[in-house]
Amino acid sequence: MRIGVFVCHCGSNIAATVDPAAVAMAADSMPEVAYATDLMYACAEPGQKAIVEAIGEYRLTGVVVASCSPRMHEPTFRKTVERAGLNPYLFEMANIREHVSWIGKDKEANTRKATDLVRMAVEKLRRDAPLHSRRFPVTKRVLVIGGGIAGIQAALDCAEGGLDVVLVEKEATIGGKMAKLDKTFPTVDCSSCILGPKMVDVAQHPRITLHALSEVEELSGFVGNFKAKIRKKAPYVDWNLCTGCGACLAKCPSKKATDRFNEETGLTTAITIPFPQAIPKKAHINPEFCRHFMTGKCGVCAKICPAKAIRFEQEDEIVVEEVGAVIAATGYDLADWSGYDYLGGGRFPDVITGLQYERLLSASGPTGGHVVRPSDGREPKTVVFIQCVASRDPSKGRPSCSGFCCMYTAKQAVLTRDHCPDSKVHVFYMDVRAPGKMYDEFIRRAVDEYGVDYIRGRVSQIFRKGERYVVRGADTLAGAQVEVEADLVVLAVGAQAAHGAEKLAERLHISYDDQGFFMEGHPKLRPMETNTAGVFLAGACQGPKDIPSSVAQGSGAAAKALCLFAKGVLENDPQIANVRPGRCVACGKCVKTCPFGALNIVEARGRRTAEVVETVCKGCGICTATCPQGAIQLQHSTDNQILAEVNALCRF
Amino acid sequence: MNNTEIMKNVLERASVLLAWGPGHDALHASPLFARKAHDVDKVVMDVRAVQSLAAYLPPLFQSEKEGRIAVLARPCHVRSITALLQEELIPVERLILVVLPCQGKLDMAKVMAACPAAESLDAAFVDGDNLVINADGRQWLLRLETMLSPACVRCPMPELPDAMIPEGCECVRLDGQARRPGEGGYAALDAFMEKTPQERWEFWKQEMSRCIRCYACRNACPMCVCRDHCVASARDPHWLSELDSVTDKLLFQVIHATHLAGRCTGCGECTRACPMGIPVGLLKMQMNKIVEELFGYKAGMDSKATPPLLTFEAIEKNIREKGK
């Protein structure tokens, strides 16, 4: 092999604490190195040109670039060497920026370490084999999981772009959290008025198949060729017949069912339609409260239903959908604040969450849009809002800012003054974070035009005083303790990933952070992608987001799916596991440990051996670590390559 | 029926009975592949029968010529066989387990130390609580209890509980008296781990310097199932060099221990087989302890259990990956 080594300065990013010329000089004497030099910016056009020219001039057959993390630029340089006629996998990268120059100041030691990393890359390259991708066809359908605003936007954009869409929603209606909101900041326009038309579009779009009251149980396959197993939970109503007339709701004798849509601010009937604009507008029975399921006697709904749609005997249905891409848009849920004893932890009926307050403000809510205390139904005279509950609180394991609470608190404060003009409104805050377009102006309006009293400080305790509550906290600007007597307290509880998000992440083979939010491919440059090809993210499932950002990411994820399908065929990554049948004893350990089901035992030439399904293998390497006799090797990271790297590093 | 008749009866249903027969002298027994009824008359199954016969099973079952295979096993050997069944390396329907109530196995190193003349003995037999050795015209009486392998002294299970008979496996029990159960646990290991890391490293350097790379430890191990493809003798992947270095020798032991993680049943065959008396089983014992602490799992106790390292769980109960 004739190896070329190119050591990048990365401006001063590397050159400030590493001597690239000295590294190149040391590389010159490494085995099979035919040419070594340093470059100012290897990734820039002149840098890439220099590499291409050197490959021709020195008849190089393999290239090492010592520069930055391969996550960003390995694809760049693979294309560069391919342009010069080499196989793109006869290329290795030594990361002398993140692993060397950025983390140490001793230039001499850094230069030695950079040289060691280059020597490792050279030793690995000497054992590289040319690899070739396989091409395979794709199914041009998209599965969108979650029918909140992000999922709705993603589904509509995909469908408009000509893709068939399968939209799966866990609840009985799409709309998500946005459907529960009364108004939206900073324009204070009606949430359901702007969301409603989009929901109707979903229902009417010929390319969108909606599975409501359904969950994805399993995702198998690979990018372009996934199979999703979806459990459609029994609504106990034949939705093909149900017209959504609501006659059953009016007559249902079980009127004390948990009302999830109204955030448990009220009660509903055992057979129910979540809200008037629900999509699909179909009734479903909650068997936990239905008298027929509890006692076997009742069936009023079945008698009353003009469409004869009630089906008590209905069972869950499993459908399998074949799709080429998946967009996860499972959103968020409010964090569990029951551990906040000093705020009552849920014991006080008039201390409620912001989302519950939205339902009290909403005309479709249990109070018809009248702001009243849940305890006694009286209109509150003083309302206190507390921000940053279960946000920015490292002591409770929730260090991050949920982002949108400052804005919705201001909106709710304004709406409170609108609904009850003689009320007093106080907001306890840490800082006000309002970086969006027209956001800070909105906060100013709340203070200046609506007379909302902002108190900078945290609350230490809420306790009862007769029928009212005393909110005790600090006013850090005045340097004093304050006590406010309130009729109603609204907590801006922070967001965490939706319940069950972690389980879904495992089914989708994507990773998640310690709050359950799905991990994006790159925090800045790949916000819609995951590390699993063909699985994209939209909305708050990736991190707390307000509506505009969720919509933007929904459209972005749709664009990613459309880009993926713009080509009729896909190519696999050839850096996958490969079985050497001569060494395989068919013990089956690899089959048992493969998280992707990419391995089988097959009969070949009269003997049993393991076999890798190339398109399914993700190259994770678990099988290669499991195989005791080393019969499975990860192409491009074989045992011998790793051992050669170790030997290059540990020279005695 | 006495035990010999039971075994003869079993052999009528099997093409071979793996057992122990007379060895090169009266003290030692050798593995015996009994194929005819008269072979069974030669079977030795007292404390002199020390080898685990489980290691023979996976290659033997590969042979199409064999019918059902019967194997004489102590309870500790049954654990190895169960582990092989769990990994589907032997077919349960072709296996007949012949289990003997265990009186322990001799530790030959202890016997030789107590009676150096046993090198050229005339006779050796068990008489009550004693091992009797005749050599050099003299007679030695060695108390059996003090001559047993350390694994037997600890062994909590000299009698096989019914619950441990692998599901769907034909099992024949032989008559006899088992020794009393030991305490189990990891006392020997815990004592060793009291040493500092530096002391332990020095210990292993010292011990491994005697290693002659004969791989008897590997060949005796019932769970070593790579057949002719062991990484110890492979160039691709080339994990071990051919150098006579302590690091290469120790690296093999480390590879062996990791390959046995969650699979080793602690039968002690590796230590028993070592001609240089290196306590290589200690490394596996440490691995077993880690697996037990981490996964609550002991290999070969339940034929239906999934070995923790032979499956994939995104979230392990006792491994904190997400910092929670």
Side-chain angles (χ1 to χ4, degrees):
Chain A
M1 192 174 245
R2 292 178 60 80
I3 294 172
V5 177
F6 301 87
V7 185
C8 181
H9 288 242
C10 196
S12 61
N13 271 313
I14 291 170
T17 56
V18 171
D19 182 349
V23 175
M25 197 183 291
D28 215 11
S29 59
M30 290 175 194
E32 297 189 270
V33 172
Y35 177 68
T37 188
D38 54 314
L39 297 170
M40 187 50 79
Y41 287 105
C43 62
E45 212 176 293
Q48 293 196 40
K49 195 160 161 248
I51 295 172
V52 172
E53 282 172 4
I55 291 171
E57 193 176 337
Y58 298 96
R59 291 174 292 116
L60 303 178
T61 57
V63 168
V64 170
V65 172
S67 56
C68 48
S69 158
R71 273 192 80 181
M72 193 65 214
H73 277 315
E74 194 171 59
T76 313
F77 292 122
R78 286 229 168 103
K79 279 187 204 132
T80 309
V81 301
E82 197 172 19
R83 260 201 328 272
L86 297 187
N87 182 284
Y89 294 93
L90 295 175
F91 166 78
E92 290 298 336
M93 216 162 159
N95 183 356
I96 62 168
R97 192 178 72 180
E98 282 87 339
H99 287 177
V100 184
S101 70
W102 279 356
I103 57 166
K105 287 185 179 149
D106 182 340
K107 193 163 185 172
E108 211 174 299
N110 277 0
T111 304
R112 277 201 305 275
K113 184 176 172 187
T115 307
D116 279 342
L117 295 187
V118 169
R119 185 179 297 110
M120 288 168 71
V122 167
E123 288 301 330
K124 181 163 184 246
L125 178 60
R126 291 175 69 198
R127 291 157 180 85
D128 270 336
L131 301 178
H132 301 277
S133 298
R134 288 281 177 91
R135 291 155 68 85
F136 53 90
V138 295
T139 311
K140 293 191 175 184
R141 293 181 87 210
V142 181
L143 170 68
V144 179
I145 307 171
I149 183 59
I152 287 173
Q153 187 66 39
L156 287 173
D157 286 351
C158 285
E160 282 301 300
L163 302 179
D164 286 328
V165 178
V166 180
L167 177 59
V168 174
E169 168 57 50
K170 185 165 70 170
E171 301 291 341
T173 173
I174 59 170
K177 292 286 185 289
M178 189 176 170
K180 300 186 181 193
L181 306 184
D182 177 38
K183 301 283 193 298
T184 54
F185 61 77
T187 45
V188 202
D189 46 353
C190 161
S191 184
S192 55
C193 306
I194 55 174
L195 176 65
K198 280 189 182 288
M199 291 168 60
V200 173
D201 286 350
V202 167
Q204 293 179 347
H205 205 293
R207 286 195 179 276
I208 300 179
T209 309
L210 172 61
H211 296 299
L213 214 59
S214 301
E215 287 192 66
V216 175
E217 286 211 326
E218 193 185 307
L219 185 75
S220 56
F222 51 95
V223 56
N225 296 275
F226 292 111
K227 260 203 186 91
K229 200 168 117 187
I230 297 161
R231 176 178 291 271
K232 298 187 70 159
K233 280 170 276 182
Y236 305 107
V237 174
D238 185 340
W239 279 3
N240 292 324
L241 299 178
C242 175
T243 59
C245 69
C248 52
L249 280 65
K251 296 287 183 210
C252 177
S254 170
K255 297 186 191 303
K256 290 191 175 167
T258 311
D259 191 349
R260 286 159 53 78
F261 183 78
N262 280 324
E263 293 286 314
E264 304 184 19
T265 50
L267 295 167
T268 185
T269 41
I271 185 162
T272 188
I273 297 174
F275 67 110
Q277 296 99 320
I279 298 285
K281 197 168 186 232
K282 307 285 180 190
H284 70 281
I285 295 175
N286 182 345
E288 273 177 58
F289 295 93
C290 171
R291 289 193 183 174
H292 177 85
F293 284 98
M294 287 157 64
T295 65
K297 293 177 200 139
C298 186
V300 169
C301 50
K303 283 190 206 101
I304 206 95
C305 178
K308 299 281 167 249
I310 306 298
R311 297 282 181 277
F312 291 121
E313 70 292 345
Q314 205 171 43
E315 285 179 1
D316 289 4
E317 188 192 341
I318 303 286
V319 292
V320 175
E321 296 279 9
E322 291 188 11
V323 295
V326 179
I327 296 173
T330 49
Y332 71 96
D333 271 314
L334 293 190
D336 175 15
W337 63 286
S338 56
Y340 285 75
D341 278 341
Y342 66 94
L343 300 176
R347 278 173 294 134
F348 302 138
D350 302 318
V351 178
I352 61 175
T353 68
L355 210 47
Q356 288 177 320
Y357 194 55
E358 290 289 342
R359 297 314 301 150
L360 296 186
L361 289 166
S362 170
S364 71
T367 59
H370 298 297
V371 173
V372 294
R373 283 159 45 107
S375 62
D376 53 16
R378 288 214 314 258
E379 193 172 284
K381 297 289 164 222
T382 306
V383 181
V384 170
F385 291 88
I386 302 173
Q387 292 195 187
C388 300
V389 175
S391 287
R392 302 178 69 191
D393 190 353
S395 70
K396 300 275 186 193
R398 297 196 40 86
S400 55
C401 170
S402 295
F404 48 64
C405 325
C406 286
M407 291 307 297
Y408 79 63
T409 301
K411 175 196 72 182
Q412 291 175 346
V414 164
L415 292 173
T416 308
R417 296 278 292 140
D418 263 343
H419 281 248
C420 321
D422 58 343
S423 63
K424 284 205 181 84
V425 176
H426 307 272
V427 177
F428 280 91
Y429 72 104
M430 289 169 72
D431 314 287
V432 170
R433 297 188 166 174
K437 203 170 173 179
M438 297 299 288
Y439 282 15
D440 203 53
E441 293 90 326
F442 183 76
I443 302 275
R444 293 277 15 124
R445 259 174 72 202
V447 176
D448 298 339
E449 291 176 29
Y450 287 85
V452 176
D453 173 32
Y454 269 76
I455 305 167
R456 186 175 185 278
R458 302 201 75 162
V459 169
S460 61
Q461 206 183 2
I462 299 176
F463 54 91
R464 268 183 190 272
K465 188 179 177 189
E467 289 182 349
R468 308 188 80 195
Y469 300 86
V470 176
V471 181
R472 180 184 287 161
D475 182 341
T476 54
L477 296 180
Q481 197 188 56
V482 287
E483 284 190 359
V484 183
E485 280 194 29
D487 300 298
L488 184 67
V489 181
V490 180
L491 307 178
V493 178
Q496 67 178 24
H499 301 309
E502 300 177 359
K503 277 217 172 73
L504 181 69
E506 282 151 26
R507 286 176 205 150
L508 302 182
H509 308 298
I510 59 177
S511 38
Y512 50 90
D513 67 17
D514 57 357
Q515 303 293 332
F517 291 115
F518 300 156
M519 292 294 284
E520 60 281 356
H522 184 283
K524 279 149 285 185
L525 300 176
R526 285 159 57 85
M528 267 79 83
E529 291 96 327
T530 63
N531 286 332
T532 299
V535 179
F536 305 109
L537 304 178
C541 64
Q542 179 250 348
K545 266 176 208 65
D546 58 13
I547 294 165
S549 305
S550 296
V551 171
Q553 211 185 3
S555 287
K560 287 288 164 192
L562 285 160
C563 289
L564 181 69
F565 294 145
K567 292 167 265 179
V569 290
L570 291 178
E571 288 188 348
N572 78 332
D573 184 341
Q575 299 175 95
I576 53 171
N578 177 270
V579 181
R580 297 172 187 181
R583 293 193 62 77
C584 178
V585 298
C587 66
K589 293 181 177 62
C590 51
V591 179
K592 294 189 175 92
T593 51
C594 178
F596 304 101
L599 281 146
N600 299 311
I601 298 286
V602 297
E603 193 99 20
R605 296 199 193 108
R607 57 192 298 271
R608 281 151 52 78
T609 171
E611 186 185 71
V612 178
V613 184
E614 288 188 7
T615 43
V616 180
C617 176
K618 301 275 192 293
C620 71
I622 289 179
C623 57
T624 64
T626 303
C627 179
Q629 63 272 30
I632 298 195
Q633 294 290 325
L634 194 57
Q635 301 190 120
H636 211 65
S637 288
T638 63
D639 285 2
N640 277 358
Q641 287 186 298
I642 294 165
L643 289 164
E645 287 180 281
V646 172
N647 287 337
L649 189 63
C650 308
R651 296 184 311 164
F652 295 109
Chain B
M1 275 201 291
N2 65 23
N3 283 344
T4 308
E5 286 163 356
I6 293 172
M7 287 187 280
K8 282 182 179 172
N9 181 273
V10 165
L11 195 51
E12 281 170 19
R13 281 170 286 140
S15 63
V16 63
L17 168 70
L18 303 196
W20 304 275
H24 63 272
D25 65 20
L27 183 58
H28 292 84
S30 276
L32 171 75
F33 284 39
R35 293 190 180 274
K36 299 270 159 46
H38 62 81
D39 293 335
V40 176
D41 296 326
K42 292 187 272 185
V43 168
V44 174
M45 48 184 211
D46 58 25
V47 289
R48 294 173 293 167
V50 292
Q51 303 90 344
S52 168
L53 304 167
Y56 292 106
L57 291 175
L60 207 56
F61 273 116
Q62 291 282 319
S63 164
E64 304 271 316
K65 288 180 209 141
E66 295 294 348
R68 296 183 75 187
I69 296 173
V71 59
L72 212 49
R74 299 178 185 277
C76 54
H77 303 153
V78 174
R79 280 182 65 182
S80 304
I81 291 166
T82 302
L84 291 171
L85 286 169
Q86 279 174 277
E87 294 184 18
E88 297 166 45
L89 294 171
I90 53 176
V92 72
E93 63 282 355
R94 280 173 65 199
L95 179 71
I96 304 174
L97 269 183
V98 185
V99 180
L100 60 148
C102 186
Q103 292 188 309
K105 308 163 284 191
L106 287 179
D107 182 335
M108 291 305 174
K110 283 184 187 168
V111 176
M112 298 312 258
C115 172
E119 288 273 9
S120 53
L121 50 79
D122 302 317
F125 53 91
V126 177
D127 181 18
D129 291 341
N130 292 317
L131 176 69
V132 184
I133 295 177
N134 292 335
D136 284 352
R138 275 183 61 195
Q139 190 172 64
W140 278 265
L141 285 183
L142 305 175
R143 269 193 66 76
L144 265 181
E145 195 61 35
T146 60
M147 293 294 122
L148 294 183
S149 128
C152 300
V153 179
R154 287 191 296 124
C155 177
M157 204 179 58
E159 188 88 65
L160 188 75
D162 280 340
M164 278 193 55
I165 297 169
E167 205 173 292
C169 185
E170 182 179 347
C171 180
V172 177
R173 285 177 185 274
L174 297 184
D175 289 333
Q177 185 66 42
R179 56 179 268 108
R180 56 186 160 71
E183 286 179 359
Y186 298 100
L189 175 71
D190 293 342
F192 180 70
M193 294 304 281
E194 296 274 302
K195 295 178 197 274
T196 65
Q198 191 56 41
E199 286 169 337
R200 277 180 266 151
W201 175 236
E202 290 303 326
F203 171 84
W204 284 116
K205 275 205 302 202
Q206 192 65 41
E207 290 293 315
M208 293 315 295
S209 68
R210 299 205 303 279
C211 171
I212 55 173
R213 294 186 77 162
C214 69
Y215 296 119
C217 49
R218 173 194 73 187
N219 298 348
C221 175
M223 299 313 295
C224 264
V225 292
C226 295
R227 306 209 289 273
D228 297 335
H229 302 291
C230 178
V231 285
S233 46
R235 288 296 180 95
D236 188 9
H238 199 182
W239 278 88
L240 299 175
S241 82
E242 287 67 39
L243 292 173
D244 177 37
S245 72
V246 167
T247 45
D248 274 285
K249 294 168 179 176
L250 194 53
L251 180 59
F252 173 73
Q253 292 303 329
V254 172
I255 291 173
H256 195 190
T258 43
H259 284 181
L260 287 170
R263 304 174 63 234
C264 172
T265 59
C267 69
E269 282 293 278
C270 47
T271 305
R272 181 195 64 74
C274 181
M276 306 310 288
I278 303 169
V280 287
L282 212 47
L283 292 164
K284 288 111 188 172
M285 205 190 277
Q286 169 70 358
M287 192 60 94
N288 285 352
K289 193 177 176 202
I290 292 170
V291 168
E292 196 176 337
E293 285 166 359
L294 213 48
F295 302 106
Y297 178 82
K298 278 172 133 170
M301 301 295 281
D302 175 1
S303 63
K304 290 287 144 201
T306 304
L309 274 82
L310 294 184
T311 182
F312 178 82
E313 297 284 346
I315 300 289
E316 285 287 356
K317 217 167 73 197
N318 297 323
I319 302 177
R320 288 154 56 96
E321 276 184 282
K322 295 279 171 188
K324 282 200 231 185

